[in-house]
Amino acid sequence: MRPDLQQQFVSLVTDEKHDSFLNDLELDLGLKIGYRICEMPIFVSSEMRQQLESAAIEILEQCVSSENLERTRSTLQPRYHVPNESSVPLFSVVDFAITRDASGTYQPKLIELQGFPSLFGYQYEFATRMIKTYGLKDCSPFFGGIDAAEYVRLLSEAIFAGHDPSDVALVEIDPHLQKTRPDFVAMNHLIGLQTVNIRDVVKH
């Protein structure tokens, strides 16, 4: 952890800057965000970042091992098996809590993991606006040694997979009513991913 950077950030926060951050974030997205917005980032050292990366990769490798896939498949009724399912999820998100062990050393502890790109656009918008508002230098929200341009390229490549973006959509039930709508809008701004209400889909 980097308590020095955390304290430095706290010294930059004023009511005016915080209000400006919230207003600008909602202006960036063009909508009112219907949930509480995180007030501040958490700063971690390069060592902790690498530890989080390694732990996430290790967990995901266990999840997609042939032994575990076969074990979990046998727990599902055949009607729940997905035809032509890929061997690994396209996206994986691992949530950690940062704890201290008996010696006071910081350690990541698994909270949950999921196989879909939750908030991949919103978090980009949030981090970018946070960096701009508070003038954060030498800080990156990206893991794996990539920068913003590479993040956007990888995201586009994964989602569109060489297809025309006009032929690709995020399909949701009443997306305008979902609390995750800020992410739908952010993904559209970021890579041009359109959102479609499943109620409006017609099969030809």
Side-chain angles (χ1 to χ4, degrees):
M1 303 298 286
R2 289 294 304 272
D4 56 326
L5 293 179
Q6 206 78 47
Q7 196 57 46
Q8 183 180 336
F9 177 85
V10 170
S11 70
L12 298 172
V13 177
T14 64
D15 290 340
E16 291 74 23
K17 272 193 175 179
H18 182 63
D19 289 343
S20 175
F21 165 71
L22 296 178
N23 292 334
D24 288 344
L25 181 60
E26 291 185 337
L27 282 173
D28 291 341
L29 295 171
L31 53 77
K32 185 76 176 172
I33 298 173
Y35 47 80
R36 182 172 177 175
I37 299 171
C38 181
E39 288 87 356
M40 64 188 302
I42 295 174
F43 297 91
V44 299
S45 65
S46 296
E47 293 75 19
M48 175 57 73
R49 177 181 297 218
Q50 291 169 5
Q51 192 174 351
L52 290 166
E53 287 181 12
S54 297
I57 291 169
E58 183 180 331
I59 290 167
L60 294 171
E61 285 178 340
Q62 289 181 39
C63 289
V64 300
S65 69
S66 56
E67 297 84 2
N68 279 332
L69 288 175
E70 185 57 38
R71 188 180 301 119
T72 55
R73 186 175 179 80
S74 66
T75 66
L76 295 174
Q77 296 178 29
R79 62 181 174 154
Y80 295 125
H81 292 173
V82 178
N84 304 316
E85 185 177 17
S86 60
S87 59
V88 295
L90 180 58
F91 290 94
S92 297
V93 179
V94 184
D95 292 339
F96 289 106
I98 306 297
T99 65
R100 276 182 170 169
D101 60 20
S103 67
T105 303
Y106 288 107
Q107 298 287 347
K109 297 291 183 181
L110 176 66
I111 297 177
E112 66 172 355
L113 57 97
Q114 58 196 34
F116 60 97
S118 176
L119 305 180
F120 275 31
Y122 170 78
Q123 291 289 2
Y124 176 93
E125 293 276 2
F126 172 88
T128 301
R129 177 50 57 190
M130 184 70 74
I131 289 169
K132 285 180 180 177
T133 300
Y134 292 99
L136 304 178
K137 297 179 180 178
D138 302 321
C139 292
S140 172
F142 306 108
F143 282 60
I146 65 174
D147 59 13
E150 181 67 1
Y151 175 80
V152 173
R153 187 193 69 76
L154 287 170
L155 194 61
S156 299
E157 187 178 283
I159 290 176
F160 296 130
H163 294 280
D164 186 327
S166 66
D167 293 330
V168 180
L170 187 158
V171 181
E172 179 61 272
I173 299 173
D174 299 328
H176 60 291
L177 300 178
Q178 300 292 339
K179 280 199 171 181
T180 47
R181 186 171 172 236
D183 189 62
F184 306 159
V185 174
M187 289 291 270
N188 183 263
H189 290 175
L190 197 58
I191 63 171
L193 177 64
Q194 60 185 319
T195 301
V196 173
N197 192 336
I198 195 170
R199 300 182 195 276
D200 299 329
V201 174
V202 178
K203 182 178 180 180
H204 293 282

